[in-house]
Amino acid sequence: MNLRLRLTTDLSGEDIALLAEWAKSNPEGLDELISLLIAPDARIVQRASRILVPIAERAPHLVEAYLDTFTALLGQSRLHGAVKRNLVRLIQYLELPEHLHADLLGICFRFLEDPEEAVAVKAFSMTILGKLARTYPDIRQELKLVIEDGLSRSPSPGYKSRARKILANLAGAEVRPSS
């Protein structure tokens, strides 16, 4: 299959699912899909990142090896919103290696604090930060304050829903059973 050529056309939900299944069962295809994340054509990059989401959701072990690449891409200042959304979304399904924790903390807090950032990017960033808060309890208070600040700015229903879940998890994580 000529994946690059395939990604130059509009893709339906069914097309995305089929291409994700193809990439899951074809290691060379998955490598090619990852390599297209740095293609010069923004539409190809967006479509490639979109195909990676169901792979990460259903078979995270297949894309965990590429987490350094995803994190590096998220650190770029001119990343298209759709690519950013897809990368943050897929990262929430992955086990996060310790060597990327600091980068992901910085990136996700930046997204969450940016008033211009898309709600979906903020919601997925909350999930990643919530996962990292289990390892780094010192960030819980800061995360709580940033989320509550976002809630005070009349956010969307999606932000409110994710914020409530993360805040509840943070509150539960802070409770220590007495011995």
Side-chain angles (χ1 to χ4, degrees):
M1 172 189 306
N2 185 336
L3 185 58
R4 181 184 290 273
L5 180 62
R6 183 70 181 96
L7 295 181
T8 61
T9 63
D10 287 336
L11 300 175
S12 68
E14 184 177 328
D15 293 332
I16 300 237
L18 289 171
L19 287 168
E21 285 302 317
W22 171 79
K24 280 172 40 180
S25 62
N26 181 349
E28 294 82 20
L30 184 58
D31 286 341
E32 183 181 358
L33 187 61
I34 298 296
S35 73
L36 291 173
L37 290 174
I38 57 169
D41 185 335
R43 289 173 304 181
I44 288 176
V45 175
Q46 291 171 37
R47 291 171 183 150
S49 69
R50 178 63 187 95
I51 294 166
L52 288 167
V53 172
I55 297 171
E57 188 175 6
R58 293 181 190 98
H61 64 282
L62 293 176
V63 293
E64 283 176 342
Y66 303 101
L67 193 52
D68 287 32
T69 301
F70 304 149
T71 304
L73 287 168
L74 284 172
Q76 295 178 358
S77 60
R78 293 185 175 253
L79 192 62
H80 188 280
V83 177
K84 191 185 312 181
R85 179 186 64 245
N86 290 331
L87 291 177
V88 179
R89 182 177 181 189
L90 73 85
I91 288 172
Q92 72 179 348
Y93 299 117
L94 306 180
E95 290 298 319
L96 307 176
E98 188 174 344
H99 75 276
L100 292 176
H101 287 182
D103 290 338
L104 289 169
L105 282 166
I107 290 166
C108 291
F109 268 116
R110 182 172 35 104
F111 291 161
L112 195 54
E113 293 172 335
D114 183 350
E116 302 300 314
E117 192 58 72
V119 171
V121 172
K122 289 182 179 202
F124 300 136
S125 293
M126 274 189 251
T127 300
I128 294 168
L129 290 168
K131 284 175 72 170
L132 290 170
R134 292 183 215 136
T135 303
Y136 303 102
D138 293 350
I139 71 163
R140 289 181 187 144
Q141 187 60 31
E142 179 182 1
L143 179 55
K144 181 181 175 204
L145 292 172
V146 171
I147 291 172
E148 288 173 345
D149 182 56
L151 283 170
S152 71
R153 290 190 223 136
S154 54
S156 73
Y159 185 98
K160 287 179 185 178
S161 174
R162 185 69 56 106
R164 281 193 286 261
K165 290 175 187 172
I166 299 300
L167 290 172
N169 286 341
L170 290 173
E174 293 175 352
V175 174
R176 301 254 188 254
S178 54
S179 31

